[in-house]
Amino acid sequence: MLNVILVDDEPLVRIAFKSFLDWDAHGFRFVGEFSNGKDAWDQIKSLEADIIVTDIRMPVMDGLQLIREVRADQSDIVIVVLSSYDDFHLVKEAYNYGIYDYILKTEMNPEQLKQLFAKVKEHITDYRIKTNQHVKLQKLVTQNKASLRAAFFKELIWGRSLNDEKLDFEIDQLGLLLKPKNLYMSILQIEDFDILERKYGDDSLQLLLFSMLNIIEEILNEDRIGDVFSNHPGEYVIIFSFNEIPSSKLIKETLWHLHKRIHHVLVQYLNVTVSSGISDVSLRGFRHMIHMYKQASQAVEYKFVKGKSTITFFDEVVTHQMDRLDDKVEKGSHILRGFLENPLEEQLEAMLQQLLITSTTSDPNDFKQIKLIYGVYASVLYDHSLKKQILMQMMEVFEAYYKRLQTYGTLNELNEWLRRILQMICEENNGESYLVKQAKQYIYGNYGEQITLSKVAQSLQVSESHLSRLFSEQTGERFMRFLVKVRIEKAKEYLDTTHLKIYEIAEKVGYTSTEHFSRSFKEVTGKSPKSFMNK
């Protein structure tokens, strides 16, 4: 269906125009009727008009002014003019603004309108096909250019045989800013890329990645100091070349602020976070690219200890050897198993001080070993949970580790995971689980808000059914019943200690309805709020 707006100050003309054809049957529908150009112009965008049929002589804003406004907005709306015999000089002027055709009011008939609007429909269809083809072609050209750039840079990094003359030609043909001196390289890695892959389908993910490439490219083009390419899904490489380096400190400040801006814009417009690693300067031209790539890779991997959404220069990377892996695993496993024999919360922090690996004790070359150590800890904890028949309570926490933390987690995330699961084991050992305790704390801290089981489960990163079952088993009452009791106890405090009105107290303890509050209050206390207040 094509949307039509009809603009004429004569109601009879509008009625006659609409009655000549079964417009729906021919693929048209009237989405608006107006008696002057101003009213029509105010509504055109919201009505998503494809066609405007307009008179020329009208009050407030005439048809010519309406046509000018539409065309000034660069709109591709098709315009058909309704005219009288004495309007030909105005129709001629309207053609200068790109109207499609005109209709004499005195000669309007069904066959004429049928033929004219069949041509209008064909014109719109052809225009949209050509426009779509042009957009697709432009997108294909842009994507192909990005692919050619990526292929060129990959060959350059991985030791392509260099012919200076041919190299200069390809740099020029690809429109690159690259110069063979004072080079830096940075690698940008998307955080939690596995989550993005699950969140978006293939087409949407490709569009997101392509949008990221375009945003980075636009920022770099502002200062004309760097080229970017997609190395593989989830990773972008930027190569910077500076004609002169006044000081390494100034260059590092420039690069830091540039990467900070890229990080900010990607979050602002695409809600995507990245970490960046930046190499040292290369003064040896293109023959040193592979060394720069290795430096940038090590720098970006340092997010494992620095945390996500960070910017790291290669000279920040700490390089020293960690204790032998076998010794660390054996010692850590012995400490963990000893603690699990009688897991007491008051001893947890002291034990964690011996167990946790901190950022000051790690080297990029040791990151895989550190992840292996946490893998051993996870195995010990899994066996303990299975043996103590508490695996079901722990299952979602274990899944969080095995599904993503094992591969994508930072050191801080692994330490927090280990702390959390050990706290849960201590709580289980003391009779009330960590999850139930956290759920209660959430209720005590937020009873005045609109709390739901779903919201609390989401904050604790567990399923509703799992939390509901645990809560009922360990407290002896349903989650919502516990929430009601907490709210009513708080309401009793307000009634005893303040002069607030009943509806004000109801709002303070999380009720949007005074009647609902009064019913709940009486169910719990056996009295109405008013009776309780007058006791």
Side-chain angles (χ1 to χ4, degrees):
M1 283 285 186
L2 295 174
N3 294 337
V4 183
I5 287 178
L6 181 58
V7 192
D8 197 300
D9 61 331
E10 298 180 63
L12 291 178
V13 172
R14 299 200 303 269
I15 292 169
F17 188 91
K18 290 175 65 178
S19 64
F20 274 130
L21 285 179
D22 181 355
W23 293 96
D24 284 350
H26 289 84
F28 302 93
R29 64 182 169 198
F30 288 90
V31 293
E33 286 185 53
F34 304 95
S35 60
N36 64 75
K38 185 179 185 308
D39 289 346
W41 174 241
D42 290 341
Q43 297 294 323
I44 281 172
K45 288 186 178 178
S46 63
L47 294 174
E48 299 182 348
D50 300 303
I51 304 163
I52 299 173
V53 181
T54 181
D55 189 11
I56 290 184
R57 296 182 186 273
M58 293 180 292
V60 187
M61 179 192 285
D62 63 26
L64 279 178
Q65 185 60 35
L66 173 62
I67 294 167
R68 291 190 197 101
E69 295 288 351
V70 171
R71 290 299 177 240
D73 195 46
Q74 298 181 333
S75 171
D76 56 3
I77 296 174
V78 171
I79 301 174
V80 175
V81 166
L82 293 172
S83 71
S84 303
Y85 279 113
D86 54 353
D87 289 339
F88 277 129
H89 65 292
L90 297 175
V91 172
K92 186 176 180 180
E93 185 178 349
Y95 268 108
N96 293 332
Y97 295 104
I99 68 168
Y100 182 79
D101 209 337
Y102 74 96
I103 304 167
L104 281 172
K105 293 181 182 180
T106 55
E107 297 182 2
M108 270 195 311
N109 62 74
E111 188 59 31
Q112 179 201 30
L113 292 179
K114 181 179 177 182
Q115 291 179 8
L116 174 60
F117 276 84
K119 290 179 182 178
V120 168
K121 190 174 185 179
E122 184 179 351
H123 168 79
I124 292 174
T125 302
D126 289 346
Y127 174 80
R128 288 179 177 176
I129 289 172
K130 289 176 183 177
T131 301
N132 288 338
Q133 287 175 339
H134 177 71
V135 170
K136 288 179 181 178
L137 182 61
Q138 286 294 103
K139 185 178 178 181
L140 189 62
V141 168
T142 304
Q143 289 177 335
N144 191 44
K145 189 175 182 181
S147 298
L148 290 172
R149 285 185 172 193
F152 169 78
F153 278 120
K154 286 176 183 178
E155 288 183 2
L156 200 59
I157 289 171
W158 297 107
R160 174 184 178 182
S161 179
L162 300 171
N163 177 304
D164 290 344
E165 186 176 337
K166 187 178 179 183
L167 196 60
D168 290 341
F169 175 77
E170 290 192 32
I171 289 172
D172 181 63
Q173 289 296 303
L174 291 171
L176 301 174
L177 303 171
L178 196 61
K179 303 295 179 186
K181 59 180 180 178
N182 299 330
L183 295 168
Y184 283 83
M185 186 182 295
S186 73
I187 293 176
L188 281 70
Q189 287 183 353
I190 299 175
E191 305 289 12
D192 302 318
F193 186 66
D194 60 312
I195 295 176
L196 289 181
E197 285 182 305
R198 292 195 297 271
K199 180 179 178 181
Y200 295 97
D202 288 342
D203 291 342
S204 297
L205 181 62
Q206 289 306 312
L207 179 61
L208 177 72
L209 297 177
F210 192 65
S211 298
M212 286 185 65
L213 184 67
N214 285 338
I215 286 174
I216 297 169
E217 198 168 56
E218 284 183 22
I219 293 173
L220 294 174
N221 284 341
E222 291 176 7
D223 296 318
R224 299 186 63 77
I225 57 171
D227 297 294
V228 62
F229 70 93
S230 175
N231 191 31
H232 56 71
E235 181 176 291
Y236 299 90
V237 177
I238 304 176
I239 301 174
F240 300 92
S241 49
F242 296 90
N243 288 327
E244 295 180 1
I245 300 185
S247 72
S248 60
K249 180 182 178 183
L250 183 60
I251 292 298
K252 284 183 71 173
E253 287 178 359
T254 300
L255 291 173
W256 190 88
H257 286 295
L258 183 64
H259 284 81
K260 196 71 178 173
R261 184 168 175 232
I262 291 172
H263 285 211
H264 173 73
V265 172
L266 291 176
V267 170
Q268 183 179 8
Y269 291 102
L270 300 178
N271 196 29
V272 173
T273 57
V274 297
S275 281
S276 300
I278 306 171
S279 74
D280 283 340
V281 65
S282 169
L283 304 175
R284 293 171 53 191
F286 300 139
R287 289 171 176 81
H288 205 50
M289 299 281 271
I290 184 62
H291 184 63
M292 293 168 60
Y293 181 80
K294 289 178 180 177
Q295 286 185 340
S297 293
Q298 277 196 303
V300 77
E301 285 174 11
Y302 213 61
K303 68 179 180 180
F304 178 69
V305 293
K306 283 184 70 174
K308 293 179 178 177
S309 194
T310 52
I311 301 168
T312 306
F313 288 87
F314 179 70
D315 61 10
E316 298 176 48
V317 174
V318 178
T319 54
H320 59 73
Q321 284 302 111
M322 190 177 155
D323 295 339
R324 285 182 63 242
L325 175 63
D326 291 345
D327 293 342
K328 190 75 177 175
V329 170
E330 185 176 347
K331 182 181 177 182
S333 298
H334 177 74
I335 292 170
L336 184 57
R337 286 193 174 95
F339 176 79
L340 291 174
E341 289 179 5
N342 185 23
L344 300 175
E345 195 164 3
E346 57 267 25
Q347 297 175 2
L348 179 58
E349 283 303 318
M351 189 276 298
L352 285 172
Q353 292 301 315
Q354 302 177 66
L355 211 60
L356 299 181
I357 299 172
T358 64
S359 59
T360 58
T361 62
S362 51
D363 175 284
N365 297 315
D366 293 326
F367 292 166
K368 288 183 180 178
Q369 292 190 15
I370 292 171
K371 289 185 178 183
L372 283 173
I373 291 170
Y374 281 84
V376 172
Y377 292 165
S379 180
V380 171
L381 291 165
Y382 186 91
D383 289 343
H384 171 82
S385 301
L386 188 63
K387 180 180 177 182
K388 296 293 183 179
Q389 297 183 337
I390 57 172
L391 186 58
M392 287 305 297
Q393 291 91 311
M394 305 291 177
M395 187 54 71
E396 293 191 38
V397 188
F398 278 115
E399 285 181 355
Y401 172 78
Y402 286 111
K403 284 186 176 179
R404 63 175 317 277
L405 287 178
Q406 189 176 32
T407 305
Y408 300 100
T410 64
L411 181 58
N412 185 56
E413 286 177 326
L414 289 172
N415 283 336
E416 285 303 311
W417 172 84
L418 186 60
R419 181 186 300 276
R420 183 184 179 198
I421 198 166
L422 285 168
Q423 283 177 331
M424 291 175 70
I425 288 172
C426 289
E427 296 290 350
E428 291 287 346
N429 189 52
N430 293 334
E432 188 172 272
S433 73
Y434 171 79
L435 284 176
V436 171
K437 188 174 181 180
Q438 290 296 105
K440 284 184 174 181
Q441 288 179 354
Y442 188 99
I443 290 172
Y444 289 132
N446 300 277
Y447 61 84
E449 307 297 326
Q450 296 304 301
I451 296 177
T452 63
L453 177 63
S454 173
K455 188 179 289 186
V456 178
Q458 190 174 3
S459 75
L460 297 176
Q461 298 180 329
V462 294
S463 68
E464 289 181 51
S465 58
H466 181 57
L467 179 59
S468 177
R469 183 178 59 79
L470 277 184
F471 201 95
S472 297
E473 287 177 355
Q474 295 179 18
T475 66
E477 57 188 343
R478 290 178 290 109
F479 174 88
M480 292 307 297
R481 183 63 178 170
F482 182 84
L483 172 60
V484 168
K485 284 185 176 180
V486 170
R487 284 174 166 168
I488 300 307
E489 284 302 313
K490 294 296 178 181
K492 286 162 67 177
E493 289 179 22
Y494 282 121
L495 288 167
D496 281 335
T497 60
T498 72
H499 297 290
L500 292 172
K501 294 180 172 59
I502 290 174
Y503 75 86
E504 292 175 320
I505 293 173
E507 289 177 0
K508 279 189 170 292
V509 297
Y511 286 90
T512 57
S513 163
T514 307
E515 290 76 13
H516 185 196
F517 167 69
S518 297
R519 285 197 304 271
S520 298
F521 193 95
K522 190 167 186 178
E523 284 176 10
V524 174
T525 66
K527 297 180 180 180
S528 68
K530 190 173 182 179
S531 299
F532 185 89
M533 189 165 44
N534 296 329
K535 64 182 179 179

